[in-house]
């Protein structure tokens, strides 16, 4: 990790923290994290693409990690992250880039690719497919204790998370999200109660990794992270034909709990997603969980490099 450099870039009046490695003259690959992640979740991929001759760039979103918080976190929307990404590319003088994202990052990529397709060479999403900007419906078929419904409720997650320090919140979410079942609390139970103090970390996630995440979330808190994605999801944009023609790749773990969201697996396997992204390749990794890029970095790196080489 010592090869990765860090700097701050002014974007939309905020200083965004950016991790970077690779030659400035090389094709750029921008990595967008999810929750409870940060730039660090791309550590293996950044080094791999840099060694293959690309420039790897991984920002922390506004209000995440070392980036400045927005002035009004509760009003932050996905479109703010899209605008930040555009401002970041402009500040770095990058006319076109490859985008790689996971978790809710693919929702940022979906919007960015629809609004600024001329800036995108191609994109890879991990764990979540391209989604047109429409309100989600899967939560209607899930119990009240569905974690996203709980975290959408103002004050509920704050009280739940507030019983623990930031490191243990991240620990619990990593353990929950590494399983193949959707996190759903029972009546009278909170989401953090789904994990016990004795539950082990995933085998591929070290105490050192956890300490790194914990320190970054200790700094940022969860205020913006609860707003985006959980409390700002589902705004519908007036885009008549939400289709993106650039090359794309979806990497899904067969054991990723997201596949249990009502309608998601059918959306992918039926090919419906390709009506929005015609040039989409789809790869399923048999043992992959929601954090497949950290769980199986070599396999994911090979998929990424093959895609980049094919479309560079």
């Amino acid at each position: 990790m010592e090869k990765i450099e860090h700097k701050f870039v002014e974007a939309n009046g905020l200083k965004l923290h950016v991790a970077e490695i690779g030659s400035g003259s090389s094709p750029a690959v921008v990595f967008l994290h999810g929750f409870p992640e940060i730039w660090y979740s791309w550590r293996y991929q950044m080094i791999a693409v840099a060694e293959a001759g690309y420039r790897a760039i991984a920002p922390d979103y506004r209000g995440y990690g070392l980036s400045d918080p927005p002035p009004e976190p509760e009003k932050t929307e996905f479109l703010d992250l899209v605008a930040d990404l555009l401002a970041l590319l402009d500040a770095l003088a990058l006319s076109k880039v490859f985008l790689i994202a996971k978790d809710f990052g693919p929702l940022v990529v979906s919007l960015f690719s629809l609004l600024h397709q001329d800036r995108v060479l191609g994109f890879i999403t991990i764990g979540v497919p391209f989604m047109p900007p429409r309100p989600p419906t899967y939560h209607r078929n899930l119990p009240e204790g569905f974690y996203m419904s709980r975290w959408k409720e103002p004050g509920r997650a704050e009280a739940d998370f507030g019983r623990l320090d930031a490191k243990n919140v991240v620990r619990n979410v990593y353990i929950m999200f590494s399983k193949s079942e959707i996190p759903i609390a029972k009546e009278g139970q909170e989401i953090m109660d789904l994990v016990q103090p004795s539950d082990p970390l995933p085998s591929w996630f070290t105490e050192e990794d956890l300490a790194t995440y914990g320190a970054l979330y200790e700094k940022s808190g969860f205020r913006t992270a609860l707003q985006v994605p959980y409390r700002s999801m589902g705004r519908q944009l007036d885009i008549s034909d939400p289709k993106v023609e650039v090359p794309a790749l979806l990497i899904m773990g067969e054991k990723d709990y997201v596949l249990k969201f009502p309608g998601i697996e059918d959306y992918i396997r039926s090919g419906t997603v390709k009506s929005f992204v015609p040039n989409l390749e789809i790869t399923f990794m048999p043992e992959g969980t929601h954090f497949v890029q950290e769980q199986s970095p070599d396999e994911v790196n090979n998929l990424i490099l093959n895609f980049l080489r094919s479309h560079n």
Side-chain angles (χ1 to χ4, degrees):
M1 300 309 121
E2 66 278 356
K3 301 175 187 175
I4 296 175
E5 298 178 349
H6 298 266
K7 63 185 178 184
F8 290 88
V9 177
E10 189 87 20
N12 288 333
L14 300 173
K15 286 189 174 68
L16 299 183
H17 169 250
V18 175
E20 184 172 348
I21 183 172
S23 168
S25 61
S26 302
V29 183
V30 178
F31 293 88
L32 301 174
H33 63 80
F35 176 82
E37 297 161 300
I38 216 70
W39 76 267
Y40 182 79
S41 65
W42 297 113
R43 57 200 179 279
Y44 303 119
Q45 287 69 46
M46 292 181 72
I47 290 172
V49 301
E51 288 178 348
Y54 297 88
R55 179 183 180 187
I57 299 165
D60 294 339
Y61 299 122
R62 58 170 58 199
Y64 278 79
L66 300 177
S67 290
D68 283 349
E72 297 180 282
E74 285 73 23
K75 293 184 178 179
T76 302
E77 297 186 19
F78 275 91
L79 285 173
D80 294 314
L81 305 191
V82 170
D84 289 348
L85 177 56
L86 182 64
L88 179 65
L89 299 190
D90 288 343
L92 297 175
L94 297 169
S95 59
K96 286 196 169 207
V97 298
F98 288 102
L99 297 173
I100 302 180
K102 78 163 294 278
D103 189 56
F104 78 84
L107 305 183
V108 180
V109 167
S110 298
L111 282 171
F112 189 88
S113 299
L114 286 168
L115 297 172
H116 307 290
Q117 193 163 173
D118 60 318
R119 306 297 292 270
V120 183
L121 291 165
F123 66 79
I124 300 173
T125 67
I126 301 175
V128 172
F130 176 96
M131 303 291 282
R134 298 168 184 166
T137 57
Y138 44 74
H139 61 283
R140 297 176 191 165
N141 300 309
L142 290 169
E144 172 275 335
F146 174 45
Y147 79 97
M148 288 177 67
S149 299
R150 288 285 185 88
W151 291 351
K152 196 175 182 69
E153 184 183 334
R156 184 80 181 249
E158 286 86 343
D160 187 16
F161 290 9
R163 298 177 295 156
L164 306 170
D165 60 22
K167 177 180 172 181
N168 278 301
V169 172
V170 174
R171 171 190 173 273
N172 287 4
V173 179
Y174 252 83
I175 291 171
M176 278 190 297
F177 284 8
S178 296
K179 296 177 180 178
S180 59
E181 297 301 321
I182 298 172
I184 296 175
K186 297 174 184 173
E187 188 176 349
Q189 183 184 40
E190 297 301 327
I191 299 298
M192 287 293 108
D193 298 329
L194 293 173
V195 180
Q196 300 303 313
S198 58
D199 291 347
L201 286 170
S203 61
W204 41 264
F205 193 71
T206 69
E207 287 290 343
E208 183 182 356
D209 294 332
L210 178 59
T212 300
Y213 279 99
L216 290 168
Y217 275 95
E218 197 70 53
K219 187 265 178 194
S220 68
F222 297 97
R223 191 174 170 189
T224 307
L226 286 167
Q227 175 64 21
V228 181
Y230 301 104
R231 295 171 186 171
S232 59
M233 196 174 289
R235 174 174 173 178
Q236 186 159 352
L237 297 184
D238 187 18
I239 299 175
S240 58
D241 184 21
K243 185 182 289 187
V244 178
E245 300 284 355
V246 301
L249 171 65
L250 168 62
I251 301 171
M252 287 295 307
E254 293 274 11
K255 296 183 178 179
D256 190 329
Y257 74 91
V258 171
L259 284 176
K260 301 280 179 67
F261 282 27
I264 287 291
E265 186 164 14
D266 182 63
Y267 173 71
I268 297 169
R269 293 195 191 270
S270 70
T272 302
V273 62
K274 292 188 179 182
S275 64
F276 302 107
V277 192
N279 299 315
L280 176 69
E281 306 163 54
I282 301 173
T283 296
F284 282 90
M285 296 179 61
E287 298 302 315
T289 66
H290 192 58
F291 300 103
V292 69
Q293 90 285 6
E294 293 181 274
Q295 175 193 6
S296 304
D298 292 342
E299 292 174 71
V300 171
N301 292 350
N302 285 334
L303 291 169
I304 288 173
L305 292 174
N306 287 338
F307 176 85
L308 295 176
R309 288 168 183 145
S310 298
H311 301 291
N312 184 18

